[in-house]
Amino acid sequence: MDADVLIIGAGPSGSVAAKMLKQLGHQVVILEKEQFPRFSIGESLLPQCMAFMEAADMLPAVTAEGFQFKNGAAFSREGKLTEFDFTQKFSPGWGTTFQVPRAHFDKVLADSAEAAGVPIHYQQTILAADFSNPEQAKLTSVDANGVHKQWRAKMVLDASGFGRVLPRLLDLETPSSLSPRRALFTHIEDRITVSDYDRNKILIAIHPKFHEIWYWLIPFSNGRCSLGVVTPAGFLDARSGEPLEVLKNMAFEEPRLAELLVNSRFDTPANTIGGYSANVKQLYGQGFALLGNAGEFLDPVFSSGVTIAMKSAALAVPLVDRQLRGEPVNWSVEYEQALRKGIEVFRAYVEAWYDGRFQQIIFEENQLASVKAMICSILAGYAWDEENPMTQRSAKKIEAILATYQTA
């Protein structure tokens, strides 16, 4: 055996899982395709993430980096601005977090795992996986020099994110139930001087004409921002010009962004990603489990990706620990069903966002304080809080709230 557990990917779910398993006394090895630091999208964390980093003893290292403080979310549509303060949420737990350049943030987490004694082998591309032997899982990799190596462990955790290594190799991928969309994004030197702009909140702005199109503006502590727009698949095909110019022009179509970004320097090429929503037939199998985006990714609108990734690690680690100790584990109930509870809550709100129902609640002028606190919990990442009425039968709850407002 090369390790008790092999982890594919050194992103947030992989690094958190590795450090937690190491704390429990297991030998862990991470195989990472890229060389860190490397660019990754998804820079706005949710407060629920703080508990997972705290449990992995990574929070001191993250806090020391001086990342941008975040305490909520602001929404802009047709000249109306509404804000949600996460410290006013319904659920107990952290109410603040950070907004982070992911290249830097992910390396901090990976370095923390490595400092705890977890070897990380970078530039390792996984070519094959063999789980036919219930006592030993095998992975075959090739490094940047073309050298092949076979790795053996008792268990494999796939934390490969959008790489989705095991779903591809084991034919586990299934179509997402969400409509296909495309994101266009970059980092800019924002130079924002507008007095009422709050850098402690992510800004989500809705296109004034097409309400299913939305933008994110995520400020960093170094005077830069992540800026992106999400559109239906095919919408950007009708926009001519270089991607960065297309993104800039679209941003200036939204009044609040036009006001904020008037002095900004668009100094970095824009990237695009499409077809990112994904699902799988199962989140576990003999000798393996899928973490985070390797298993399922919904949509970037509520910044749930890193939260789901870390939650999956927090759920999987104690099960792996028990399994390695020879104790029985019900992966279906204790992992798949438990993880999907929160995912399905996020899914209900993503669907309601794009069909306009959740936007209507967000911008309701006579927002009930109790409802706003429950929404804050969802937006802060507490989708697994079963005490929150907004996580129970989410779609029906959304309809009930809308009916209440319409009656009023």
Side-chain angles (χ1 to χ4, degrees):
M1 296 287 183
D2 295 287
D4 295 323
V5 184
L6 287 170
I7 297 180
I8 306 172
S13 63
S15 293
V16 166
K19 181 113 183 247
M20 286 181 168
L21 285 166
K22 187 66 177 178
Q23 290 170 334
L24 292 170
H26 300 295
Q27 295 301 311
V28 187
V29 171
I30 297 178
L31 305 177
E32 166 58 47
K33 182 178 181 179
E34 306 293 338
Q35 180 65 54
F36 278 26
R38 55 87 178 94
F39 178 83
S40 183
I41 198 67
E43 299 97 340
S44 194
L45 305 182
L46 302 184
Q48 172 74 92
C49 294
M50 303 291 275
F52 304 132
M53 291 186 286
E54 192 172 39
D57 195 24
M58 291 176 160
L59 200 50
V62 171
T63 302
E65 293 301 314
F67 292 122
Q68 173 65 48
F69 177 80
K70 176 186 176 183
N71 63 9
F75 296 83
S76 172
R77 186 180 73 177
E78 297 176 344
K80 179 178 175 58
L81 188 70
T82 184
E83 295 185 343
F84 288 79
D85 183 343
F86 291 164
T87 65
Q88 303 300 313
K89 60 183 171 45
F90 173 89
S91 304
W94 285 86
T96 63
T97 186
F98 301 108
Q99 306 194 124
V100 297
R102 283 287 303 279
H104 185 185
F105 173 73
D106 287 9
K107 190 174 189 306
V108 170
L109 298 187
D111 288 350
S112 177
E114 200 165 29
V118 177
I120 302 179
H121 299 271
Y122 290 100
Q123 295 184 299
Q124 296 285 335
T125 299
I126 306 302
L127 301 178
D130 182 358
F131 298 98
S132 59
N133 183 345
E135 303 298 324
Q136 185 183 87
K138 297 179 183 179
L139 297 178
T140 302
S141 71
V142 61
D143 66 16
N145 296 317
V147 177
H148 290 68
K149 179 175 173 57
Q150 191 169 86
W151 306 81
R152 295 174 175 84
K154 299 172 185 176
M155 184 77 182
V156 173
L157 296 178
D158 185 355
S160 59
F162 290 122
R164 301 171 63 78
V165 171
L166 292 188
R168 289 187 293 101
L169 293 176
L170 303 180
D171 190 27
L172 299 177
E173 294 184 299
T174 60
S176 172
S177 62
L178 300 174
S179 299
R181 304 186 190 280
R182 178 163 291 276
L184 181 63
F185 52 89
T186 190
H187 286 182
I188 63 174
E189 182 183 340
D190 61 77
R191 298 183 176 182
I192 296 174
T193 58
V194 177
S195 60
D196 65 346
Y197 176 61
D198 185 355
R199 294 191 75 90
N200 296 334
K201 293 177 174 64
I202 181 177
L203 174 63
I204 297 175
I206 292 92
H207 193 281
K209 183 178 180 181
F210 307 105
H211 286 181
E212 73 276 22
I213 295 176
W214 63 276
Y215 310 81
W216 74 74
L217 186 68
I218 302 171
F220 302 137
S221 59
N222 60 0
R224 298 182 66 80
C225 277
S226 172
L227 171 68
V229 63
V230 175
T231 73
F235 181 89
L236 293 172
D237 296 343
R239 300 271 177 150
S240 60
E242 292 296 318
L244 184 62
E245 193 65 22
V246 170
L247 176 57
K248 181 178 180 180
N249 290 339
M250 287 197 67
F252 277 81
E253 292 173 12
E254 201 285 316
R256 179 61 172 174
L257 290 177
E259 176 188 25
L260 294 175
L261 303 180
V262 63
N263 297 316
S264 299
R265 291 185 64 242
F266 287 70
D267 55 2
T268 306
N271 293 315
T272 184
I273 183 174
Y276 43 72
S277 298
N279 203 348
V280 289
K281 300 172 186 175
Q282 61 196 68
L283 290 174
Y284 69 96
Q286 179 175 282
F288 73 88
L290 309 179
L291 304 184
N293 296 349
E296 181 160 0
F297 182 76
L298 297 173
D299 190 272
V301 65
F302 301 129
S303 304
S304 62
V306 174
T307 301
I308 293 174
M310 290 186 176
K311 176 68 174 182
S312 69
L315 285 172
V317 163
L319 304 185
V320 172
D321 176 56
R322 282 164 45 199
Q323 185 164 304
L324 292 176
R325 297 180 190 279
E327 300 174 14
V329 174
N330 189 331
W331 281 92
S332 176
V333 173
E334 298 178 82
Y335 183 66
E336 178 137 15
Q337 292 180 32
L339 183 60
R340 287 196 185 278
K341 280 183 180 179
I343 292 175
E344 292 310 310
V345 171
F346 280 126
R347 185 192 308 278
Y349 287 94
V350 168
E351 291 174 346
W353 171 266
Y354 284 109
D355 67 27
R357 290 175 296 149
F358 194 45
Q359 289 189 30
Q360 186 177 340
I361 293 174
I362 290 288
F363 290 99
E364 171 61 42
E365 292 185 4
N366 301 310
Q367 186 74 261
L368 297 173
S370 59
V371 170
K372 190 164 188 176
M374 295 173 194
I375 292 173
C376 268
S377 288
I378 303 296
L379 296 177
Y382 293 90
W384 291 267
D385 178 12
E386 296 185 358
E387 299 300 317
N388 184 355
M390 293 289 281
T391 69
Q392 304 299 309
R393 293 190 300 237
S394 304
K396 291 184 179 180
K397 192 66 180 178
I398 292 169
E399 295 297 339
I401 292 170
L402 285 173
T404 299
Y405 287 146
Q406 290 164 359
T407 301

